[in-house]
Every structure is written in C-alpha cells, then in structure tokens.
C-alpha cells in the first residue's frame, strides 16, 4: 500500500515513516507538511495513494481545508494532538484517530485495521463475483 504522510513536525513524520515501513505491505511515497503542498501533490498523484496519515493542525491551517480543494476517496488515519476534531475526522474518510504523543502500537493497530478492512472488502467483492457467475 502506498502511504502519504501529511505532518508538519519533521521528527514525527520521520518516526511515522519508519513505523509504517516496518510493515512490509506499506511504502511511504511522500511526506507533505502543509495544506498547499498536499493539495498540489494530490492533484498529481491521488490515484497512486492507498492511505493517508493526516495531522490536523498544520502550519498553514487545519488539514480539513484540503477537502475543500480536492475530492479524496481513500481511507485516512488522523494523527493529532487534539481530541476535539473526532467527528469532523470521521466525516472526512477517517477510519482511525490517533492522539499524539502516540505509541508504536497505536500505529501498528491502525495499519492492522486497514489491512483487515481491505481483506474484508475484497472477500465481499469476490463473493459478489461468484454470485454473478453462478
């Protein structure tokens, strides 16, 4: 799975990258640090991204602004120090919400959740295909 990290704290972004890539199924294809750079990147590369890790408070505003500029239809794991944006996160493709400072297991649990959801959806799709064939 190709992963985009949107995080303006360089140390946190590098730690996330290291944790994500420690799982063999995941490759961090880019790290963006602002709304502007993320929108620009996604306009050119959205179809190549399978999952986003998204901080909420970025240097140039709240990352929810990204959704006003581009239609995003991939799962997002929000990773933030603020707990008051949970509902807004889930309304914007959020499948998990990790509070900073996070533990390694928080990231691994989220990646496992993504893997299980993807397998479940694939299984359901295959079941539908089998029904159509019969």
């Amino acid at each position: 799975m190709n992963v985009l990290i949107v995080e303006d704290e360089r140390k946190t972004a590098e730690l996330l990258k290291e944790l994500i890539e420690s799982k063999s199924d995941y490759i961090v294809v880019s790290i963006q640090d602002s709304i502007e750079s993320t929108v620009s990147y996604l306009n050119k590369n959205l179809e190549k991204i399978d999952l986003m890790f998204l901080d909420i408070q970025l240097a140039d505003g709240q990352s929810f602004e990204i959704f006003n500029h581009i239609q995003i239809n991939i799962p997002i794991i929000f990773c933030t120090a603020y707990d008051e944006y949970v509902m807004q996160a889930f309304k914007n493709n959020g499948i998990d919400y990790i509070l900073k400072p996070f533990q390694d297991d928080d990231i691994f649990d989220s990646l496992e959740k993504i893997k299980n959801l993807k397998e479940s959806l694939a299984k359901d799709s295959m079941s539908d295909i089998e029904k159509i064939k019969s």
Side-chain angles (χ1 to χ4, degrees), residues 93-123:
N93 292 1
I95 59 133
D96 214 344
Y97 196 93
I98 299 171
L99 288 175
K100 294 176 186 175
F102 56 81
Q103 303 296 315
D104 294 3
D105 285 342
D106 296 334
I107 304 304
F108 296 145
D109 290 347
S110 288
L111 293 174
E112 187 66 22
K113 182 178 184 178
I114 287 286
K115 179 182 171 193
N116 290 339
L117 285 170
K118 188 174 180 177
E119 287 174 358
S120 176
L121 291 172
K123 183 178 170 185

Side-chain angles (χ1 to χ4, degrees), residues 20-36:
I20 293 166
E21 288 187 338
S22 72
K23 299 293 185 182
S24 62
D25 294 346
Y26 298 90
I27 299 167
V28 174
V29 294
S30 182
I31 297 173
Q32 299 298 317
D33 63 0
S34 69
I35 294 165
E36 184 179 349

Side-chain angles (χ1 to χ4, degrees), residues 24-129:
S24 62
D25 294 346
Y26 298 90
I27 299 167
V28 174
V29 294
S30 182
I31 297 173
Q32 299 298 317
D33 63 0
S34 69
I35 294 165
E36 184 179 349
S37 69
T38 301
V39 170
S40 176
Y41 180 83
L42 289 173
N43 276 323
K44 297 173 191 161
N45 300 289
L46 182 60
E47 70 282 348
K48 300 174 189 170
I49 306 297
D50 301 306
L51 172 65
M52 282 176 59
F53 272 79
L54 188 57
D55 187 10
I56 292 177
Q57 289 290 11
L58 300 171
D60 58 347
Q62 289 186 354
S63 61
F64 296 117
E65 180 67 24
I66 295 166
F67 300 99
N68 294 330
H69 298 280
I70 187 165
Q71 176 73 32
I72 299 174
N73 58 0
I74 58 173
I76 299 172
I77 297 172
F78 288 87
C79 194
T80 183
Y82 304 93
D83 64 358
E84 65 261 27
Y85 300 106
V86 173
M87 291 307 297
Q88 195 171 358
F90 284 108
K91 289 180 181 182
N92 287 289
N93 292 1
I95 59 133
D96 214 344
Y97 196 93
I98 299 171
L99 288 175
K100 294 176 186 175
F102 56 81
Q103 303 296 315
D104 294 3
D105 285 342
D106 296 334
I107 304 304
F108 296 145
D109 290 347
S110 288
L111 293 174
E112 187 66 22
K113 182 178 184 178
I114 287 286
K115 179 182 171 193
N116 290 339
L117 285 170
K118 188 174 180 177
E119 287 174 358
S120 176
L121 291 172
K123 183 178 170 185
D124 289 346
S125 293
M126 289 306 294
S127 176
D128 290 344
I129 290 170

